[in-house]
């Protein structure tokens, strides 16, 4: 830079370039710096908190009616997510819902993060796994909204809702082990996570490519012994392939024996459709559980509609829909898991450096890309 | 003539001329600015992101502080070099096999008296319309260990256990070869078709047999075209995404495109890594395409087409003609028949689990019924149709203007226009998609998550190809017509839209259909730019795969094939009407 400034021939050019870049920076980045420190969305919610319950509900609905629109990003996939949004549309026909039901939870959170950091306030609410929210929380992108509907949540689960109200609970997912009963004799069926290291399953256990949510859940269950577990899984030549649903379908067709990070509902749902489907599942002590929640964008363009959606997700209507579709409701009994199922809940965040270490170890010892 | 009536309309040509000189430069300037925005900005964005330690939108992203940390981290990691090697190895192997299949088939179809050659040619061309994601999915259903149709057949008939494994380097290469073979066929059949047979005849008169004439005359004559076609297929394979994603992941083989995709979509998102890989892939593509351009330029020195009319002599294969026919039919069955057959078969099954139940007892139309009832399938088809038609129409008009300024004006800067219109050919789909996401996070235009952003990316992606069709068409029109119109005082825009465009109709129609079909097939760009309501048919196919709905996916594939086949048949009918003979 010093050499450049010293050369008079380059100076005007450099200044010109800097001028153009400066203008570009001011044009694009100005709004980011100018972002208001306080959120008008939160101010609205604070006002709502002060109202009596009935008046508050009426105010939320009338506000949503005026807004007449909501944009939701959610991780409930395909027909499940579409069906749920259809229910919401039917309940509130005056709201036009723009919903994405195909993003994974990290993708949805990342999308909102990217929009907000670029000062593009496109999304009102997200319905994703809580473990995917840390960046949104760190940047204070989620509004504090104390939904009265949180009272509907089962007492055992209530502690997983944010005390500050930055997310309300909406569903929970289990991760266990699914296996093909035609390929795995009952006496050799896996019961605990460590069983997946048995030579019988060599080359026949599948996992998704690195998913921090799953790894964090395992870390909560195993602690530092997780790294030994990764090594023994890796020695058993696991299959690394697409989503759990994709692999459950392949597993049931006889492609391989075991889905090692299965959402158990996939196989159970298939068995209900086709009773001869060879689905078996284990509840390895402990089963990994991760909670999903609705977070409202601190700069939501439609704050009332967003609040209405967060509240509605905890209604009997929304929760029983989830239960009918074999997902974990937070206000009702689980559709297929016993009440005493041993759970370990994926933490919101991991100790410093653990996340990176987990990812590195998983890639090195389990995925072993060539 | 059209311009005579036009002149009557423009009563005062002299008065018109006083402002006319301003129109062309203005349109030219708008075009140049538009292309800079559509092409240079994405290029700059890729490079800029790769030199930043923070991601797009973060404070500091637009400051003038740069770092090579992304590159140094990438270059220091073993996975970078492994991915680079995998990419080159995969592309080299797949291109070679595709080339052998495509070249052999093209030669027997164009230069021999093989029976059924027209049918074979037609089927090879028709295969191009099947999206790559469907070809990959169908081969997984065919050759997957344990459940693949071929492996079941091998077990039932010969007692063999899993002789085929699609989830391997060989499987990945095979699927990509099958995907690329029709392109090799198209590129080479044009070359074989246009070869002057008199040289071979002279060789025959001098006593050379067919094989010797092939090796000493035909092959050397076609060598530049062959090498150029090889490079183009190689570049396309380097940029490919479907087979590496669906097959390579399980085979534990990562290539650049899957690394970029995963770095962009997995948590934590690694923008720097993604950008460093993107720039590397971009440089690789540019180098390969420069080599391709050189070869294409050199190939003109080997041209054997003159003004004289000739019809290439067909080589008589004698008794070998039936063997050639059988081999060609086997190629058609492998490239087109098998994927389509397994799609139709799977689409009719109630469940993917066999459980020893006979096929007929498992047959139903449930998958089609569920698809018809599913809103997202129709939405995606509508999206693809809107995108295809919109993009095709816009691209064709845009490249018609570009071609006009390149070939019919002497305005300074027209070479830049040509360069900018051709340059996007070097941007791989996965890079283009990621770049448009970054770009429109910064540019305050409300198009994220809409069809419009995919349309803009498609315009950049398909412009170079459409330009080829349209330029060829324009060059066949004598410029005297426009000159006469200009002398008559007809305004430029009127001349362009009412005189030049109608005359370019064959090239425009070909380009329009080409873009339409490819926009329907395209997965990578649409996937990276998709959100909720803007998912295209190809993206929904991937969704269905990831949901494990293989049977519905097959039904969707069959429906999509039927739609695309209708489009192609319509295109052929229109092209016949306008006397167009271009295939590609």
């Amino acid at each position: 830079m010093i050499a450049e400034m010293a050369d008079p021939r380059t100076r005007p050019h450099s200044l010109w370039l800097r001028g153009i870049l400066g203008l570009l920076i001011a044009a694009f980045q100005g709004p980011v710096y100018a972002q208001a420190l306080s959120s008008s969305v939160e101010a609205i919610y604070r006002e709502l908190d002060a109202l009596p319950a009935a008046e508050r509900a009426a105010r939320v609905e009338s506000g949503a009616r005026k807004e007449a629109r909501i944009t939701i990003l959610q991780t409930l996939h395909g027909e499940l997510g579409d069906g749920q949004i259809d229910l919401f549309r039917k309940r509130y026909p005056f709201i036009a819902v723009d919903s994405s039901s195909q993003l994974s939870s990290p993708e949805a959170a990342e999308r909102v993060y990217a929009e907000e950091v670029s000062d593009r306030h496109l999304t009102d609410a997200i319905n994703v796994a809580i473990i995917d929210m840390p960046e949104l929380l760190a940047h204070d992108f989620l509004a504090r909204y104390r939904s009265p509907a949180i009272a509907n949540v089962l007492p055992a689960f209530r502690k997983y809702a944010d005390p500050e109200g930055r997310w309300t609970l909406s569903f929970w997912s289990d991760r266990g082990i699914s296996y093909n009963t035609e390929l795995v004799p009952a006496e050799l069926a896996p019961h605990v996570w460590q069983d997946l290291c048995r030579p019988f399953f060599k080359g026949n256990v599948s996992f998704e490519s690195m998913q921090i949510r799953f790894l964090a859940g395992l870390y909560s269950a195993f602690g530092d012994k997780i790294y030994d577990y990764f090594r023994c899984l890796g020695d058993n030549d696991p299959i690394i392939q697409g989503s759990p649903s994709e692999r459950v379908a392949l597993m049931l067709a006889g492609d391989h024996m075991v889905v090692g990070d299965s959402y158990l509902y996939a196989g159970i749902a298939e068995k209900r459709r086709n009773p001869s489907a060879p689905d078996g599942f284990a509840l390895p002590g402990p089963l990994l559980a991760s909670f999903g929640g609705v977070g409202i964008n601190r700069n939501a363009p439609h704050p009332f509609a967003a609040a209405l959606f967060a509240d509605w997700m905890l209604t009997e209507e929304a929760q029983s829909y989830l239960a009918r579709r074999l997902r974990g409701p937070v206000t009702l009994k689980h559709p297929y898991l016993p009440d005493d199922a041993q759970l370990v809940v994926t933490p919101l965040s991991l100790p410093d450096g653990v996340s990176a270490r987990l990812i590195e170890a998983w890639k090195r010892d389990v995925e072993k890309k060539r | 003539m059209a311009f005579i009536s036009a002149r009557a309309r423009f009563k005062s040509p002299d008065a018109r001329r006083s402002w006319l000189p301003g129109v062309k430069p203005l349109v030219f300037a708008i075009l140049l600015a538009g292309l800079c925005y559509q092409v240079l900005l994405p290029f700059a964005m890729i490079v800029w992101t790769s030199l930043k330690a923070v991601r797009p939108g973060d404070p500091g992203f637009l400051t003038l502080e740069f770092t090579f940390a992304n590159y140094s981290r990438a270059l220091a990691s073993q996975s970078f070099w492994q991915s680079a090697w995998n990419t080159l190895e995969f592309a080299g192997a797949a291109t070679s096999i595709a080339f052998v299949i495509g070249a052999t088939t093209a030669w027997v179809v164009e230069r021999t008296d093989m029976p059924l050659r027209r049918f074979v040619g037609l089927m090879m061309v028709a295969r191009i319309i099947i999206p790559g994601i469907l070809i990959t999915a169908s081969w997984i259903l065919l050759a997957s260990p344990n459940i693949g149709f071929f492996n079941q057949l091998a077990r039932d008939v010969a007692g063999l256990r899993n002789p085929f494994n699609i989830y391997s380097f060989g499987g990945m290469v095979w699927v990509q070869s099958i995907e690329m073979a029709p392109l090799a066929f198209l590129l080479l059949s044009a070359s074989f078709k246009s070869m002057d047979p008199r040289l071979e005849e002279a060789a025959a008169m001098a006593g050379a047999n067919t094989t010797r004439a092939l090796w000493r005359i035909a092959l050397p004559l076609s060598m530049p075209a062959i090498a150029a076609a090889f490079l183009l297929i190689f570049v396309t394979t380097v940029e490919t995404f479907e087979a590496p994603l669906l097959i390579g992941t399980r085979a534990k083989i990562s290539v650049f495109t899957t690394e970029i995709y995963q770095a962009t979509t997995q948590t934590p998102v690694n923008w720097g890594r993604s950008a460093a890989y993107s720039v590397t892939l971009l440089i690789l593509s540019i180098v390969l395409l420069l080599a391709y351009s050189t070869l294409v330029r050199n190939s003109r020195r080997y041209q054997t087409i003159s003004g004289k009319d000739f019809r290439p002599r067909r080589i008589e294969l004698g008794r070998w003609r039936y063997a050639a026919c059988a081999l060609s039919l086997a190629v058609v069955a492998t490239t087109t028949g098998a994927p389509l057959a397994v799609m139709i078969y799977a689409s009719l099954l109630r469940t993917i689990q066999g459980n020893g139940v006979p096929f007929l007892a498992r047959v139903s139309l449930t998958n089609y019924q569920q698809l018809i009832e599913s809103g997202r399938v129709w939405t995606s088809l509508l999206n693809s149709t809107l995108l295809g038609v919109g993009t095709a129409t816009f691209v064709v008009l845009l490249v018609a203007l570009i071609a006009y300024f390149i070939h019919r004006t002497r305005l300074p800067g027209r070479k830049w226009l040509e360069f900018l219109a051709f340059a996007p050919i070097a941007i791989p789909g996965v890079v283009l998609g990621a770049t448009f996401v970054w770009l429109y996070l910064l540019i305050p235009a409300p198009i994220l998550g809409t069809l419009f952003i995919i349309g803009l990316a498609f315009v950049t992606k398909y412009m170079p190809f459409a330009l080829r069709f349209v330029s060829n068409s324009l060059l066949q029109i004598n410029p005297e017509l426009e000159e006469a119109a200009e002398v008559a005082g007809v305004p430029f825009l009127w001349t362009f839209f009412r005189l030049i465009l109608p005359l370019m109709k064959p090239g425009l129609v070909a380009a329009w259909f080409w873009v339409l079909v490819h926009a329907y097939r395209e997965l990578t760009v649409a996937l990276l730019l998709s959100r909720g309501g803007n998912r295209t048919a190809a993206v929904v196919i991937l969704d269905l795969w990831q949901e494990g709905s293989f049977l519905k996916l097959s039904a969707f594939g069959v429906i999509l094939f039927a739609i695309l086949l209708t489009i192609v048949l319509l295109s052929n009918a229109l092209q016949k009407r306008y006397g167009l003979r271009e295939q590609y």
Side-chain angles (χ1 to χ4, degrees):
Chain A
M1 184 58 71
I2 291 168
E4 193 185 329
M5 293 299 283
D7 184 347
R9 286 168 304 174
T10 60
R11 210 166 159 182
H13 175 70
S14 168
L15 287 174
W16 176 84
L17 183 68
R18 278 157 175 262
I20 297 283
L21 280 170
L23 280 174
L24 277 172
I25 291 165
F28 290 151
Q29 210 162 17
V32 178
Y33 290 140
Q35 192 174 343
L37 289 175
S38 67
S39 157
S40 59
V41 173
E42 288 191 332
I44 290 171
Y45 294 157
R46 277 195 298 273
E47 282 177 29
L48 288 176
D49 286 344
L51 299 175
E55 193 182 334
R56 180 191 184 285
R59 175 86 183 88
V60 169
E61 191 168 328
S62 70
R65 194 179 286 273
K66 275 183 204 153
E67 290 168 350
R69 181 159 215 89
I70 185 170
T71 301
I72 302 163
L73 293 184
Q74 68 161 344
T75 184
L76 298 177
H77 264 219
E79 287 164 12
L80 171 76
D82 292 343
Q84 191 174 47
I85 293 300
D86 284 345
L87 274 183
F88 182 69
R89 282 197 185 104
K90 272 184 200 154
R91 175 64 52 197
Y92 301 106
F94 49 83
I95 301 177
V97 185
D98 176 14
S99 162
S100 170
S101 302
Q102 288 301 335
L103 297 173
S104 68
S105 179
E107 278 174 326
E110 173 61 29
R111 195 68 66 90
V112 175
Y113 177 85
E115 287 169 8
E116 289 304 308
V117 85
S118 310
D119 205 29
R120 308 294 308 283
H121 314 304
L122 305 174
T123 304
D124 292 298
I126 51 166
N127 184 21
V128 298
I130 292 166
I131 191 174
D132 294 316
M133 291 182 177
E135 288 229 64
L136 299 177
L137 297 171
H139 287 76
D140 205 15
F141 286 148
L142 297 180
R144 283 152 188 83
Y145 173 66
R146 290 170 215 287
S147 171
I150 208 82
N152 302 342
V153 173
L154 295 172
F157 293 162
R158 220 169 279 164
K159 63 184 171 200
Y160 299 113
D162 183 34
E164 290 185 50
R166 290 169 300 173
W167 69 83
T168 59
L169 296 179
S170 54
F171 66 92
W172 70 280
S173 309
D174 56 78
R175 287 247 195 176
I177 298 170
S178 293
Y179 58 91
N180 184 314
T181 52
E182 286 174 359
L183 300 177
V184 181
E187 65 276 14
L188 292 174
H191 297 292
V192 292
W193 295 106
Q194 285 84 346
D195 284 346
L196 302 184
C197 294
R198 291 205 315 248
F200 176 73
F201 294 119
K202 193 169 180 73
N204 263 300
V205 182
S206 72
F207 294 96
E208 194 166 3
S209 184
M210 194 281 292
Q211 277 290 319
I212 190 66
R213 194 186 334 170
F214 177 62
L215 305 190
L218 284 178
Y219 181 80
S220 299
F222 284 83
D224 278 341
K225 286 184 183 163
I226 186 76
Y227 302 108
D228 295 332
Y229 182 57
F230 284 174
R231 274 189 288 276
C232 86
L233 279 182
D235 290 344
N236 229 10
D237 194 16
I239 293 166
I240 304 296
Q241 192 172 12
S243 70
S245 303
E246 172 186 336
R247 283 177 290 110
V248 166
L250 287 171
M251 179 271 290
L252 293 176
D255 178 76
H256 59 282
M257 294 179 183
V258 179
V259 175
D261 57 348
S262 176
Y263 292 121
L264 301 178
Y265 66 78
I268 296 168
E270 182 59 30
K271 201 166 177 66
R272 288 192 182 178
R273 269 194 298 272
N274 170 24
S276 63
D279 178 61
F281 63 88
L283 308 177
L287 196 67
L288 305 186
S290 62
F291 281 89
V294 174
I296 297 176
N297 183 357
R298 196 160 172 261
N299 296 299
H302 310 104
F304 288 103
L308 199 63
F309 178 70
D311 293 348
W312 178 80
M313 279 299 290
L314 288 169
T315 60
E316 171 76 22
E317 183 181 32
Q319 292 288 306
S320 57
Y321 170 80
L322 286 176
R324 280 200 305 280
R325 304 298 300 257
L326 301 175
R327 288 351 182 246
V330 290
T331 66
L332 306 168
K333 185 178 157 29
H334 197 279
Y336 57 82
L337 288 176
D339 290 340
D340 61 349
Q342 208 188 333
L343 303 180
V344 61
V345 176
T346 306
L348 181 59
S349 61
L350 293 166
D352 278 351
V354 168
S355 181
R357 202 174 153 209
L358 282 173
I359 292 168
E360 191 192 337
W362 176 267
K363 286 189 170 175
R364 185 190 58 232
D365 297 333
V366 184
E367 289 198 7
K368 293 182 181 171
K369 279 183 196 167
R370 79 162 181 88
Chain B
M1 295 297 284
F3 65 84
I4 295 175
S5 59
R7 187 181 174 176
R9 250 193 247 183
F10 302 102
K11 299 246 167 148
S12 171
D14 291 338
R16 293 274 170 197
R17 259 190 225 119
S18 65
W19 59 266
L20 266 178
V23 175
K24 271 190 200 172
L26 181 68
V27 175
F28 179 76
I30 293 170
L31 271 181
L32 202 58
L35 287 196
C36 283
Y37 178 79
Q38 278 288 105
V39 179
L40 280 191
L41 215 51
F43 265 110
M45 189 73 194
I46 302 166
V47 178
W48 187 284
T49 309
S50 72
L51 295 171
K52 302 302 287 187
V54 294
R55 59 173 144 185
D58 274 336
F61 182 74
L62 286 169
T63 59
L64 295 179
E65 285 166 25
F66 300 107
T67 172
F68 284 101
N70 293 322
Y71 291 101
S72 53
R73 259 198 301 273
L75 295 174
S77 73
Q78 199 196 342
S79 65
F80 175 87
W81 297 107
Q82 189 61 57
S83 299
W85 171 246
N86 289 343
T87 303
L88 295 175
E89 193 184 16
F90 164 62
T95 305
S96 303
I97 296 173
F99 207 76
V100 170
I101 297 171
T104 311
T105 317
W107 188 76
V108 292
V109 166
E110 298 299 342
R111 299 304 316 276
T112 73
D113 61 345
M114 182 188 79
L116 296 176
R117 54 184 181 271
R118 283 193 62 173
F119 170 76
V120 170
L122 188 72
M123 292 307 288
M124 289 297 280
V125 176
R127 216 311 265 117
I128 283 186
I129 63 174
I130 306 179
I133 181 83
L134 282 178
I135 296 294
T136 309
S138 63
W139 273 97
I140 291 175
L141 296 177
L142 280 168
S144 194
N146 301 322
I147 58 168
F149 182 76
F150 290 156
N151 280 317
Q152 287 183 14
L153 203 66
R155 189 179 55 216
D156 296 345
V157 173
L160 296 172
R161 184 172 160 73
N162 293 334
F164 306 102
N165 180 9
I166 201 71
Y167 298 117
S168 59
F169 180 74
M172 199 165 117
V173 166
W174 174 249
V175 170
Q176 189 60 24
S177 310
I178 295 300
E179 168 69 0
M180 286 291 116
L183 179 59
F185 172 86
L186 272 179
L187 293 170
L188 291 168
S189 62
S191 170
F192 291 150
K193 209 189 301 184
S194 59
M195 200 182 289
D196 190 340
R198 283 170 303 180
L199 296 164
E200 289 171 275
E201 282 162 11
M205 285 169 70
N209 61 21
T210 304
T211 316
R212 195 172 164 81
L214 175 70
W215 281 104
R216 300 298 298 272
I217 306 290
L219 216 56
L221 270 178
S222 304
M223 196 46 81
I226 288 174
F230 188 93
L231 264 179
L232 193 65
I233 296 167
F234 188 87
V235 176
T236 313
T237 304
V238 162
E239 297 174 1
T240 204
F241 178 65
E242 291 89 339
L245 180 73
L246 294 191
I247 297 173
T249 306
R250 178 153 165 180
K252 297 181 181 171
I253 298 164
S254 65
V255 295
F256 272 158
T257 50
T258 46
E259 286 288 325
I260 294 167
Y261 177 70
Q262 284 176 353
T264 314
T265 54
Q266 274 183 343
T267 301
V269 174
N270 195 334
W271 297 92
R273 180 187 171 89
S274 169
Y277 275 72
S278 294
V279 171
T280 312
L281 188 56
L282 191 63
I283 291 169
L284 181 63
S285 297
I286 289 171
V287 169
L288 290 169
L289 283 163
L290 283 176
Y292 167 76
S293 302
T294 311
L295 282 169
V296 168
R297 263 202 308 277
N298 287 343
S299 70
R300 287 186 189 140
R301 286 190 284 158
Y302 291 76
Q303 278 173 350
T304 58
I305 305 173
S306 62
K308 291 174 189 169
D309 186 30
F310 67 84
R311 182 183 288 265
R313 185 176 66 95
R314 288 198 180 275
I315 296 162
E316 289 172 11
L317 291 176
R319 60 188 172 171
W320 286 104
R321 59 203 292 264
Y322 296 106
C325 181
L327 199 67
S328 300
L329 288 176
V331 167
V332 167
T334 312
T335 54
T336 314
L340 197 58
V342 78
M343 284 283 153
I344 294 170
Y345 169 78
S347 74
L348 295 170
L349 295 176
R350 276 200 190 91
T351 67
I352 200 167
Q353 300 116 38
N355 304 330
V357 183
F359 171 66
L360 283 177
R362 297 163 65 198
V363 164
S364 96
L365 291 173
T366 313
N367 297 310
Y368 289 95
Q369 189 191 339
Q370 287 177 351
L371 274 182
I372 288 165
E373 289 166 1
S374 160
R376 72 171 158 155
V377 165
W378 294 113
T379 307
S380 72
L381 282 175
L382 180 67
N383 284 346
S384 287
T385 307
L386 288 173
L387 259 178
V389 172
T391 308
T393 307
F394 184 77
V395 165
V396 161
L397 285 175
L398 181 71
V399 297
L401 271 170
I402 293 170
Y404 177 83
F405 280 102
I406 293 171
H407 299 295
R408 290 290 209 262
T409 70
R410 294 184 173 280
L411 288 170
R414 64 186 188 285
K415 288 285 172 198
W416 272 101
L417 204 63
E418 187 173 11
F419 169 76
L420 287 173
F422 187 70
I425 204 170
I427 309 181
V430 69
V431 178
L432 188 68
T435 305
F436 266 68
V437 174
W438 303 337
L439 195 59
Y440 283 95
L441 282 172
L442 293 176
I443 294 175
I447 61 168
L448 273 174
T450 65
L451 283 180
F452 195 72
I453 189 171
I454 304 179
L456 280 179
F458 278 4
V459 168
T460 302
K461 186 176 168 70
Y462 295 126
M463 201 164 41
F465 302 97
L467 186 62
R468 180 174 171 255
F469 288 103
V470 175
S471 289
N472 287 346
S473 201
L474 181 69
L475 288 170
Q476 286 165 11
I477 302 169
N478 196 322
E480 285 170 2
L481 292 166
E482 302 137 55
E483 286 160 12
E486 198 169 342
V487 168
V490 180
F492 161 66
L493 289 177
W494 197 96
T495 307
F496 182 78
F497 283 105
R498 301 298 295 272
L499 181 70
I500 299 170
L501 277 190
L503 289 171
M504 286 162 70
K505 211 177 274 175
L508 297 180
V509 170
W512 194 86
F513 277 106
W514 191 93
V515 176
L516 178 71
V517 168
H518 282 77
Y520 249 102
R521 300 179 81 230
E522 208 284 337
L523 170 70
T524 325
V525 172
L527 180 66
L528 284 157
L529 296 172
S530 67
R531 198 175 152 128
N534 70 343
R535 293 181 103 74
T536 62
V539 175
V540 167
I541 290 173
L542 184 63
D543 288 341
L544 289 169
W545 178 264
Q546 288 177 337
E547 286 165 22
S549 305
F550 309 133
L551 309 181
K552 275 191 217 165
L553 176 151
S554 302
F556 193 31
V558 173
I559 292 172
L560 197 61
F561 181 76
I563 291 172
L564 291 173
L565 192 64
T566 310
I567 292 173
V568 168
L569 291 176
L570 195 67
S571 156
N572 281 346
L574 277 172
Q575 289 180 24
K576 260 187 199 160
R577 189 179 159 191
Y578 294 120
L580 191 81
R581 285 174 179 274
E582 283 183 84
Q583 283 183 311
Y584 174 59

